[in-house]
Amino acid sequence: MAKLTAKSLRSSVVYSVYVRNHSKEGTFQAVERDLGRIRRLGVDIIWLLPVHPIGRTARKGGLGSPYANQDYREINPELGTLEDFTRLVGAIHDHGMKCIIDVVYNHTSPDSVLVTQHPEFFYKTPEGQFGNRAGDWADIVDLDYTSAELWEYQIETLRMWAGLVDGFRCDVAPLLPLAFWQRAREEVAAVNPDCLWLAESIEPGFIMHLRSLGLTGLSDAEILQAFDACYDYDIYPYFSGYLAGENTLGCYVEKINAQEYLYPDNYVKLRFLENHDRARAKAVIPDEQDLINWTAFLYFQKGMPLIYGGQETANGVCPDLFDKNTVSWNTGTDLSWLFAALYPIKQKEIMAQGICKLHALEEEDIITGTYTWGEQKLVGVFSLRGKSAEVETGIPDGVYRNLIDGSEVTVAGGRLFCAARPVIIESRQLMIQEGIS
C-alpha cells in the first residue's frame, strides 16, 4: 500500500479551502474565481473541507459543522450544485493542481440518511442510544465498523468520488480499523490508481486516551501502512509547548529529527503552522518577522507544507466551523511573496530525497538544518524570536545566494551571520565571488 508512496510527494504544497468562509458568497463558483491567485502562491493540491450536506439535528451554531455529515453521496446545496462542484474540480485541473476532498468516516450527523436507512451501522450506548465513544461531539453520532455492510457502503462511496477527484483527506483516520483503510485503498485503486491518501492523524495524548478506553487509536506508523501522508500532530505538542514556554526548542527539534528514523524511508508528513482545528499562526506568532522565519522553516522541513486559506494574509482568527466567518483578504499584511519564493526551493530534489538533520541553538532561539544527498547540501537558518547570531553551516567558505530573497550570504570560517531573517543556501551552488552564475 503506502510502501509505493513516492518521495516526490514531499515537494507538493497543499492549500486548504473552507468553501463557506473562503468568500462572502461561500460557493464553489467563488473558489473557482480565486484559483489563479492560489496557484501563483505555489500550490499543487487543493483540499476542500467537507462538501456534503450538513445535518440539522443537534446542529452547533447557525450553520452547523461541515464535519456533521448528512449524506456522503450528495453535495451541500449551500455551496452549489454537483455541476458547480464538477466544474470547480475541472478548473483546478486546468490550473495544474489536484483536488482532494474531506472524508469524515468516523461519524455522521444524528439525522444522516444512514441513521434512517441503516441504523445497524451505528454505535449504540449501553442504554441502546446513538452516541459517540470518545470526545464531546454532541452534533454527531459514531459509526460502528464491526459492520461488514458498512465497509461495503463506505468503500463504494469512495469509489464513486474517486472517479471525479484526485484523492481524500480522511478525518480522524486513526479511529477506524487499519484493515478498513487498507482495503479501501486497494479497491479505490481500481478506479483511480493515482489516488492520494492523506490522513488526519492525531496527537499522542488522544491516541493514549482512546487506547485507555479500549478503542482503536492508530499510531502514525500504523497509519502510514495505508496512507501516503499524515499530519505531524506527533510533534505538534512540542511546537505549541515551545511557543508557550513549556518545553525547550531543543526538545521540539529532537522530536522532528526522530521522525527520520521512526518512520519508513518514504514517509511523508503534512507540515503546518495552522489548520481549521488549530489557532491561526498569526495568533500564536504575532511578530511578522518571526512569522516569516517560521513559515520558511515550515517549508524547510521534510514533507508537504499546508497553507490554510487566509494564512497568506496573516489572518489572526480561525474561521468559525459553525457559522459564517469570512476570511479577510485585506488584513494589511500579504505574505504571498514568501510562499511564492519558497515554492521553487521546495521543488529541489534534495528536499524530497535527502536526509534532514536539524539543530537547536537554545539561547539564540535559532534552528539550523542541513539536507544531505550525495555531495549536495542544502543549509537553512531560521531565527524564531528575532535574534541575530553567528551560526555553524558545515559548508565551504564563500559568498552564496539566499534562495529565499536572492541576497548575498557570506560564509567565513564555516559560519554565517544570521540577521534575524531566514536563510536557505545550497553548498553546491557556485559562489558569487567567483563570477560564475
Side-chain angles (χ1 to χ4, degrees):
M1 310 307 298
K3 65 185 178 182
L4 301 177
T5 300
K7 293 181 181 180
S8 58
L9 187 59
R10 295 166 175 162
S11 297
S12 296
V13 175
V14 181
Y15 188 94
S16 176
V17 175
Y18 184 7
V19 178
R20 173 199 290 168
N21 285 323
H22 191 77
S23 64
K24 289 182 179 179
E25 301 94 322
T27 63
F28 296 130
Q29 290 183 2
V31 174
E32 184 176 345
R33 293 193 293 269
D34 197 28
L35 292 179
R37 182 194 66 85
I38 293 172
R39 177 59 175 162
R40 287 190 294 275
L41 292 172
V43 172
D44 302 286
I45 301 164
I46 287 186
W47 152 33
L48 301 175
L49 268 66
V51 297
H52 308 297
I54 297 170
R56 294 187 174 276
T57 300
R59 174 179 282 190
K60 291 183 177 180
L63 299 176
S65 168
Y67 290 90
N69 190 319
Q70 192 176 57
D71 191 337
Y72 291 117
R73 298 184 176 182
E74 296 293 336
I75 289 293
N76 183 352
E78 298 169 15
L79 309 180
T81 64
L82 177 59
E83 291 71 23
D84 293 332
F85 175 72
T86 302
R87 188 165 52 249
L88 172 60
V89 175
I92 290 171
H93 292 163
D94 290 343
H95 280 81
M97 298 180 288
K98 294 182 178 181
C99 177
I100 64 175
I101 59 172
D102 230 311
V103 171
V104 188
Y105 266 16
N106 178 66
H107 49 260
T108 75
S109 67
D111 58 349
S112 72
V113 295
L114 290 184
V115 167
T116 302
Q117 297 172 4
H118 293 282
E120 71 278 9
F121 285 180
F122 289 84
Y123 160 76
K124 305 297 192 305
T125 68
E127 296 75 32
Q129 304 298 313
F130 294 101
N132 38 76
R133 290 158 290 193
D136 182 21
W137 299 329
D139 59 339
I140 56 94
V141 290
D142 282 3
L143 290 159
D144 180 1
Y145 280 82
T146 62
S147 168
E149 291 77 14
L150 173 61
W151 285 39
E152 299 292 340
Y153 183 92
Q154 299 291 61
I155 292 173
E156 184 55 37
T157 303
L158 289 170
R159 285 168 55 89
M160 181 190 85
W161 290 112
L164 179 58
V165 299
D166 304 293
F168 306 107
R169 177 269 186 189
C170 299
D171 189 64
V172 289
L175 277 65
L176 276 64
L178 177 60
F180 169 79
W181 292 122
Q182 290 172 320
R183 179 177 160 191
R185 179 174 181 136
E186 182 177 358
E187 294 196 24
V188 165
V191 177
N192 181 356
D194 298 319
C195 184
L196 172 65
W197 293 84
L198 167 62
E200 182 202 21
S201 45
I202 56 180
E203 293 190 25
F206 193 21
I207 294 175
M208 299 307 294
H209 172 65
L210 292 169
R211 292 179 178 179
S212 74
L213 299 175
L215 303 176
T216 299
L218 301 178
S219 67
D220 288 10
E222 291 172 299
I223 279 291
L224 288 172
Q225 296 176 48
F227 286 82
D228 296 299
C230 67
Y231 276 43
D232 63 354
Y233 273 145
D234 54 326
I235 62 171
Y236 187 82
Y238 304 95
F239 161 71
S240 57
Y242 167 68
L243 293 177
E246 297 168 357
N247 58 254
T248 66
L249 182 62
C251 178
Y252 168 54
V253 163
E254 185 47 46
K255 293 298 181 181
I256 305 175
N257 284 335
Q259 293 177 329
E260 286 282 71
Y261 56 80
L262 287 176
Y263 301 131
D265 181 52
N266 65 336
Y267 81 98
V268 181
K269 281 285 182 175
L270 183 75
R271 305 294 185 181
F272 58 87
L273 294 177
E274 62 180 65
N275 62 52
H276 70 273
D277 283 324
R278 294 293 182 267
R280 287 284 196 181
K282 179 65 175 177
V284 295
I285 310 168
D287 182 85
E288 184 173 325
Q289 190 59 39
D290 291 351
L291 185 58
I292 288 171
N293 273 275
W294 274 108
T295 302
F297 179 58
L298 171 74
Y299 272 67
F300 189 81
Q301 293 176 69
K302 183 179 289 186
M304 302 190 302
L306 171 68
I307 307 169
Y308 182 36
Q311 184 175 346
E312 64 270 44
T313 51
N315 274 252
V317 178
C318 202
D320 195 317
L321 271 184
F322 312 107
D323 282 296
K324 184 68 175 174
N325 183 206
T326 307
V327 169
S328 172
W329 301 109
N330 187 23
T331 61
T333 301
D334 187 357
L335 298 179
S336 298
W337 66 270
L338 178 61
F339 292 98
L342 291 167
Y343 182 72
I345 303 174
K346 198 66 185 174
Q347 304 314 297
K348 291 184 177 294
E349 197 170 6
I350 189 172
M351 298 206 77
Q353 302 293 339
I355 297 296
C356 183
K357 178 69 174 178
L358 304 174
H359 178 70
L361 283 69
E362 295 283 12
E363 292 185 6
E364 296 84 359
D365 291 288
I366 290 174
I367 292 177
T368 63
T370 303
Y371 277 86
T372 304
W373 188 40
E375 297 301 314
Q376 300 178 38
K377 284 189 177 181
L378 192 71
V379 174
V381 182
F382 311 95
S383 177
L384 305 178
R385 287 185 172 159
K387 298 177 183 177
S388 299
E390 278 198 338
V391 300
E392 293 284 350
T393 66
I395 59 174
D397 291 358
V399 180
Y400 296 82
R401 191 173 300 282
N402 187 349
L403 299 177
I404 300 174
D405 60 12
S407 61
E408 292 185 2
V409 177
T410 300
V411 176
R415 301 166 69 85
L416 67 78
F417 181 72
C418 168
R421 61 187 177 89
V423 173
I424 300 177
I425 56 179
E426 288 180 294
S427 68
R428 72 169 184 172
Q429 188 178 14
L430 295 179
M431 292 176 284
I432 298 169
Q433 66 185 19
E434 294 179 349
I436 302 173
S437 60

